[in-house]
Amino acid sequence: MRINRRASTGVAAVVLALVAAGCGTEDSGGDDGDGGSAAEEQGGFTPPDLPMLDELGENEGTLSVLAWPGYAEDGSTDKSVDWVTPFEEDTGCEVSVKYFGTSDEAVSLMKTGEYDVVSASGDATLRLIAGGDVEPVNMDLIANYADVWPFLKDRLWNTVGDVNYGVPHGYGANLLMYNTEEVSPAPTDWSVVFDGASDHSGAVTAYDSPIYIADAALYLMNTQPDLGIENPYALDEDQLAAAVDVLKAQREHVGEYWSDYLKEIQAFTTGDSVVGTTWQVIVNLAQSEGVPVEAILPETGSTGWSDTWMIGSKTESRNCAYAWLNHIISPEANAAVAEWFGEAPANSKACDLASEGFCDSYHAGDEAYAEGIWYWTTPIEECLDGRTDVQCTTYQDWTTAWTEIKG
């Protein structure tokens, strides 16, 4: 198994000014039972009027893919890891791949109109939709969409006004990991890295990105309800200040911030870190190397990610693009990507093809588990929790605050 998780979620919030009047209420990981109704609550977000493909035609012969590293493997990294070549052979669409390192980079590249499809995280999808860089997707033309876990469909980061803009690909949670020999009793919530961080001073670790402010906001949402935080990505000035105070206090006890998964494994192996945020793949790899760690998704929830494959609005290879979206969420390809990348697959049938125990390890298809995840979403001026009486802070504000926190 190899993880190629991105090391940064940096974004430019100014681009989100394209969203005229907000992006509505972002909820946590689980479906509310009526995905369409939830999408309609994105008050004022009117995407550009772009056509949707009515029927498939002849494949054009080429496809330009813009992807996170590890999402479009053709055997050049590892001969045994290849889901691009079978697609080319089945469709006649010759694939070229460009990898990007951040959501901001992906948005900029999609604006050039040079790419047919993109794998976008939740901190990029609404920007791409608002900017007219991606087009609505006709799910009736994607046969494998029927097998996607229901709780990943029709979400606020990939659906606007009941119109889908892409297919869910994979998802995961940011977990709380701890050394079982050094942290006792076993933690049950995030207080161990915030108010209780002094108990393990110098050995606390945290994710190195401004988006980590949402983790502090989520903690405050559960511990200080008087602050009125209803969405960890929708913070007014006072709420952001409260989150910053929490993170400044935590900073005194952080041994190191991490973005490279190998460095976090090393830190837990040497004992330099004993508790902090992590990903499931890191837990698995650390345990396989004999490191005494466990990880939990606290009952109070966590942040996380959900990625979507989208089609560029300027593509001249629309049929190949639809063929790719159908292929990449097929049981075979989705299982291969999930294991190589280190995340839960979106296709419910992928688990039948994955290695034994893989989907259980990643809680794939576990809706109750997914309900505890607040997926990464870009903070914008129009409050994502639906408030209209205040302005919320933007990612630029969060970036400035993060610099201040780290000193």
Side-chain angles (χ1 to χ4, degrees):
M1 182 188 303
R2 173 177 173 177
I3 182 175
N4 288 280
R5 193 69 200 162
R6 48 273 194 188
S8 171
T9 56
V11 291
V14 65
V15 181
L16 275 161
L18 290 166
V19 182
C23 295
T25 302
E26 170 70 31
D27 60 3
S28 60
D31 200 339
D32 61 1
D34 186 355
S37 296
E40 292 175 349
E41 293 174 3
Q42 300 185 56
F45 184 173
T46 304
D49 186 13
L50 296 172
M52 179 187 294
L53 191 65
D54 292 326
E55 60 181 5
L56 296 173
E58 293 288 332
N59 289 335
E60 297 84 1
T62 61
L63 183 73
S64 179
V65 175
L66 184 63
W68 288 111
Y71 267 10
E73 292 291 321
D74 61 2
S76 57
T77 303
D78 184 320
K79 291 182 180 180
S80 66
V81 180
D82 184 357
W83 47 87
V84 169
T85 301
F87 169 78
E88 292 177 320
E89 294 172 346
D90 291 343
T91 65
C93 302
E94 183 177 347
V95 175
S96 61
V97 180
K98 179 176 179 60
Y99 292 125
F100 59 85
T102 68
S103 288
D104 191 39
E105 182 183 358
V107 171
S108 296
L109 289 170
M110 284 302 293
K111 288 187 176 300
T112 67
E114 298 176 4
Y115 302 95
D116 303 311
V117 295
V118 59
S119 63
S121 294
D123 56 1
T125 49
L126 293 183
R127 289 193 291 162
L128 292 169
I129 295 170
D133 302 309
V134 294
E135 64 181 37
V137 175
N138 187 341
M139 296 304 183
D140 291 337
L141 303 181
I142 301 176
N144 287 316
Y145 183 68
D147 298 322
V148 169
W149 303 112
F151 60 84
L152 294 179
K153 296 180 177 181
D154 305 320
R155 304 313 302 270
L156 298 183
W157 55 85
N158 57 27
T159 306
V160 180
D162 290 331
V163 177
N164 294 113
Y165 282 82
V167 295
H169 172 80
Y171 66 100
N174 295 318
L175 303 175
L176 174 60
M177 184 164 71
Y178 61 96
N179 184 307
T180 58
E181 297 178 355
E182 299 293 335
V183 181
S184 181
T188 59
D189 58 46
W190 292 105
S191 63
V192 68
V193 297
F194 291 120
D195 288 340
S198 61
D199 292 341
H200 306 286
S201 188
V204 174
T205 188
Y207 190 58
D208 191 3
S209 168
I211 205 69
Y212 183 68
I213 292 174
D215 290 60
L218 180 61
Y219 178 66
L220 290 173
M221 187 169 73
N222 291 304
T223 58
Q224 297 187 33
D226 290 347
L227 287 171
I229 299 175
E230 296 184 1
N231 182 316
Y233 304 102
L235 306 180
D236 60 34
E237 289 186 1
D238 292 339
Q239 293 166 339
L240 175 60
V244 169
D245 286 343
V246 168
L247 291 170
K248 283 183 176 179
Q250 182 199 54
R251 177 69 183 93
E252 298 178 12
H253 308 293
V254 172
E256 66 178 48
Y257 293 92
W258 69 275
S259 59
D260 184 325
Y261 81 103
L262 290 175
K263 289 184 178 179
E264 186 180 37
I265 293 175
Q266 181 181 16
F268 271 86
T269 300
T270 61
D272 291 336
S273 294
V274 300
V275 65
T277 185
T278 194
W279 301 323
Q280 185 63 57
V281 67
I282 296 174
V283 180
N284 294 352
L285 291 172
Q287 289 176 339
S288 71
E289 295 176 7
V291 183
V293 295
E294 295 289 346
I296 62 168
L297 176 70
E299 291 184 3
T300 50
S302 77
T303 58
W305 73 87
S306 176
D307 293 342
T308 303
W309 279 100
M310 313 180 88
I311 298 176
S313 58
K314 301 178 183 67
T315 180
E316 295 183 359
S317 296
R318 195 161 278 107
N319 292 286
C320 281
Y322 268 82
W324 174 263
L325 263 61
N326 189 55
H327 168 75
I328 203 65
I329 62 165
S330 66
E332 296 81 7
N334 203 212
V337 177
E339 290 206 63
W340 176 253
F341 191 83
E343 64 184 355
N347 190 312
S348 61
K349 295 182 178 179
C351 289
D352 295 333
L353 303 175
S355 300
E356 183 178 357
F358 174 81
C359 281
D360 289 338
S361 175
Y362 284 83
H363 301 273
D366 187 339
E367 184 171 357
Y369 184 88
E371 284 178 352
I373 304 172
W374 288 82
Y375 296 104
W376 283 338
T377 305
T378 305
I380 60 173
E381 190 173 278
E382 297 82 6
C383 295
L384 293 168
D385 59 9
R387 285 179 293 170
T388 58
D389 58 336
V390 297
Q391 287 185 345
C392 277
T393 53
T394 67
Y395 198 89
Q396 182 177 357
D397 297 322
W398 287 35
T399 301
T400 300
W402 188 245
T403 301
E404 180 183 343
I405 291 163
K406 293 186 65 179

